[in-house]
C-alpha cells in the first residue's frame, strides 16, 4: 500500500504566515520560521512555502525568509511564488528548496514546465493549480486566485503532466478556508485525467476529512494550513487516527 502524505502549507505575505477564506480576507497567523520548526518536529511528511503575492506584485520571491525556513526542516520543502523562469528555479533550489512549484509563470509560458523538467528532473517540478467553478466548469485562476484565465482546469492538468510535471497540487478556491471538507468532486475529475501524484488542498476542517480524502485512490497527499497552524488538528494525532482507519502513514 502506498504511504499517504500530510503536508502543512505556509502562505507567506510580508514575512508572515497568513490565512484567509476562498483566497480572500487574509489574516496574520504566525512566524514562518517557528511554524517550520514545529512541523519538522511533529512529523510532517513535507512542507510547502508559498510567497503568495509575488506573482500579483510582479516581483521575485523573497529568499531571505525562505533560507531561514529551509534551515529548520529536514523534510522535503516545496517552494512557489513568482516562479517565471529557469533562473527562478535555480535561485530557490539554491536557498534550500527540494521542489519548485509553478503556477502563474507556467500559465504564461507553459514551456517552462518542459524546460525545468529537462534541467532538474520531473521530480523537482510541481504544477500548482488554483481552481474555481465558473458557470459549471472548472477554471484555472492566476496571480494568487485573483485572475480567471478562462483555461479549463482538467485540460491544463493533463497538459502539465504531458509537459513533464512530477506532481500536481489542486487548490480548490471554492473550499479554501471553509473547513467543510476537501473538494472531492474536483479531485476525482482531475485524478481521472492524470497519472501524476495529486496533492489535495483546500477545505480540511477535521481528521475525518482526511480519511474521506484518502478513500479516493488517486489522491496521494493532503495539504492544509489553518487547522495545523492554529493547533486545531495536531499532525501526530491526525496520523495516528488515519493509521487506525487503515490509511498507510509514516509515523
Amino acid at each position: 500500500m502506498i504511504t499517504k502524505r500530510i503536508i502543512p502549507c505556509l502562505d507567506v505575505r510580508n514575512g508572515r504566515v497568513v490565512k484567509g477564506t476562498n483566497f480572500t480576507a487574509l489574516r496574520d497567523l504566525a512566524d514562518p520560521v517557528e511554524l517550520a520548526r514545529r512541523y519538522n518536529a511533529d512529523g510532517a511528511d513535507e512542507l510547502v512555502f508559498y510567497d503568495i503575492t509575488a506573482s500579483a506584485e510582479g516581483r521575485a520571491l523573497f529568499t531571505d525568509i525562505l533560507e531561514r525556513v529551509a534551515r529548520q526542516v529536514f523534510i522535503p520543502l516545496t517552494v512557489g511564488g513568482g516562479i517565471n523562469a529557469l533562473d527562478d528555479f535555480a535561485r530557490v533550489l539554491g536557498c534550500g528548496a527540494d521542489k519548485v512549484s509553478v503556477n502563474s509563470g507556467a500559465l504564461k509560458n507553459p514551456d517552462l514546465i518542459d524546460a525545468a523538467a529537462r534541467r532538474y528532473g520531473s521530480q523537482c517540478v510541481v504544477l500548482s493549480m488554483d481552481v474555481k467553478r465558473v458557470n459549471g466548469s472548472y477554471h484555472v485562476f492566476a496571480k494568487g486566485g485573483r485572475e480567471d484565465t478562462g483555461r479549463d482546469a482538467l485540460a491544463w492538468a493533463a497538459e502539465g503532466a504531458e509537459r513533464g510535471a512530477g506532481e500536481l497540487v489542486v487548490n480548490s478556491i471554492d473550499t479554501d478556508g471553509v473547513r467543510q471538507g476537501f473538494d472531492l468532486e474536483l479531485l476525482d475529475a482531475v485524478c481521472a485525467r492524470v497519472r501524476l501524484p495529486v496533492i489535495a488542498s483546500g477545505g480540511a476542517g477535521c481528521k475525518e476529512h482526511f480519511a474521506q480524502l484518502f478513500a479516493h485512490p488517486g489522491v496521494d497527499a493532503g495539504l492544509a494550513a489553518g487547522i495545523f497552524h492554529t493547533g486545531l488538528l495536531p499532525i501526530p494525532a491526525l496520523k495516528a487516527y488515519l493509521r487506525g482507519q487503515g490509511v498507510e502513514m509514516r509515523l
Side-chain angles (χ1 to χ4, degrees):
M1 183 181 294
I2 298 175
T3 301
K4 302 298 185 180
R5 292 176 287 158
I6 301 298
I7 306 175
C9 177
L10 307 179
D11 292 320
V12 178
R13 182 184 67 175
N14 299 327
R16 297 283 294 176
V17 175
V18 297
K19 189 68 186 82
T21 302
N22 307 130
F23 281 38
T24 63
L26 298 177
R27 60 192 184 279
D28 182 278
L29 284 184
D31 173 64
V33 178
E34 292 179 3
L35 283 182
R37 186 183 300 118
R38 186 218 296 176
Y39 292 136
N40 185 75
D42 279 355
D45 295 296
E46 298 186 15
L47 182 66
V48 169
F49 177 109
Y50 287 142
D51 184 338
I52 61 171
T53 57
S55 292
E57 294 172 1
R59 59 168 172 79
L61 181 143
F62 290 131
T63 55
D64 55 341
I65 301 164
L66 170 58
E67 289 175 339
R68 291 168 57 209
V69 165
R71 286 196 292 267
Q72 301 300 319
V73 298
F74 300 93
I75 54 178
L77 174 63
T78 298
V79 177
I83 306 298
N84 296 296
L86 288 179
D87 287 348
D88 296 319
F89 272 77
R91 188 160 47 85
V92 299
L93 290 170
C95 290
D98 299 286
K99 295 185 279 190
V100 181
S101 176
V102 291
N103 190 329
S104 296
L107 287 164
K108 288 186 295 185
N109 176 23
D111 289 339
L112 176 61
I113 302 173
D114 308 67
R118 285 194 300 269
R119 177 171 296 185
Y120 298 107
S122 291
Q123 79 288 342
C124 181
V125 183
V126 180
L127 178 60
S128 180
M129 307 192 314
D130 299 330
V131 182
K132 183 179 176 64
R133 289 169 177 79
V134 178
N135 298 324
S137 299
Y138 296 118
H139 284 201
V140 179
F141 279 64
K143 297 182 179 178
R146 296 170 178 82
E147 179 183 291
D148 183 358
T149 68
R151 189 188 292 262
D152 178 78
L154 304 183
W156 176 233
E159 181 178 345
E162 292 170 0
R163 287 180 174 274
E167 287 186 326
L168 186 65
V169 177
V170 181
N171 308 299
S172 172
I173 298 175
D174 294 312
T175 62
D176 174 70
V178 179
R179 297 185 180 177
Q180 295 299 308
F182 290 96
D183 195 334
L184 300 176
E185 182 180 43
L186 167 61
L187 292 163
D188 284 343
V190 171
C191 289
R193 294 290 294 271
V194 301
R195 294 185 179 274
L196 297 181
V198 171
I199 301 169
S201 173
C206 62
K207 61 185 186 295
E208 290 81 6
H209 290 154
F210 285 88
Q212 294 164 6
L213 174 69
F214 291 135
H216 292 247
V219 178
D220 185 76
L223 182 150
I227 60 167
F228 294 151
H229 300 340
T230 60
L232 179 65
L233 183 58
I235 289 177
L238 170 60
K239 286 191 161 190
Y241 164 78
L242 290 171
R243 174 66 71 85
Q245 297 296 307
V247 180
E248 190 66 27
M249 286 275 116
R250 181 184 67 84
L251 298 179

